Amino acid sequence: MDPVVSIPYYSGYGHTAVLAGAVRDGASAAGARTHLIDVANISHDDWNALDASEAIVFGAPTYMGAAAAGFWTFAEATSGRWQEQRWKDKLAAGFTNSGGKSGDKLNTLQNFAVLAAQHGMLWISLGLTTGWNSAAGSENDLNRLGFFLGAGAQTFVDAGPDGVHPADIATCEWLGRRVTETTRIFTMGRRVVETAVAD
């Protein structure tokens, strides 16, 4: 059975939307059924899709050292799901973008991980070693910015959505594939355990 992966994201200037699309493309290529959800325009059907997903990948730009307020409006709106424990034991991951190469993006990824933990979700790391950390490396390496908790991207503040770095797009595609593959293994394992317990 194909995993169901949803990507709820907020994008202020279009850069994070490009990365969200890359996560979706990677997940789809690995066999997932995907839902790309712009949380600024979230619908009742989108909420239902999130509830039915096996994995949720959070995305937002990093503004002033934390996840953008537009994303946090969505995060606070998940409190009803938290009360009912609807997302407990789903898998989770995250990605973010900022104008600076560091830009305090780690804080945003930690925002996502804590949100996931509050929901009782299980966090999936990026699963890549650091790129561009030697003389033989280049800015075109996967994980060129060296994040581990999730995918971190950097786009110049005076660039449009077409200015998102190709290596960051590829890193987000990697994340989408990793989430899908991990979700497939986790879901199959859960079914085996449930069947064994039932017997």
Side-chain angles (χ1 to χ4, degrees), residues 1-53:
M1 188 176 228
D2 296 334
V4 181
V5 178
S6 286
I7 305 107
Y9 72 93
Y10 173 79
S11 187
Y13 299 97
H15 309 118
T16 307
V18 170
L19 298 171
V23 173
R24 177 204 55 208
D25 291 347
S28 296
R33 289 179 288 141
T34 60
H35 301 283
L36 194 61
I37 299 170
D38 178 355
V39 300
N41 300 293
I42 195 165
S43 68
H44 180 72
D45 288 343
D46 292 332
W47 284 112
N48 288 340
L50 287 163
D51 292 342
S53 297

Side-chain angles (χ1 to χ4, degrees), residues 111-122:
N111 290 162
F112 296 156
V114 170
L115 173 65
Q118 289 186 336
H119 279 282
M121 303 171 78
L122 307 170

Side-chain angles (χ1 to χ4, degrees), residues 32-116:
R33 289 179 288 141
T34 60
H35 301 283
L36 194 61
I37 299 170
D38 178 355
V39 300
N41 300 293
I42 195 165
S43 68
H44 180 72
D45 288 343
D46 292 332
W47 284 112
N48 288 340
L50 287 163
D51 292 342
S53 297
E54 292 156 317
I56 299 174
V57 186
F58 302 115
T62 297
Y63 293 161
M64 303 307 292
F71 177 85
W72 218 248
T73 297
F74 156 77
E76 291 183 2
T78 68
S79 61
R81 267 77 189 161
W82 170 78
Q83 289 176 331
E84 297 176 4
Q85 293 290 280
R86 290 195 200 181
W87 295 359
K88 184 176 175 61
D89 294 332
K90 293 183 186 296
L91 301 181
F95 61 97
T96 186
N97 178 79
S98 71
K101 288 189 170 55
S102 170
D104 291 318
K105 285 187 276 281
L106 177 59
N107 194 46
T108 295
L109 294 172
Q110 290 171 331
N111 290 162
F112 296 156
V114 170
L115 173 65

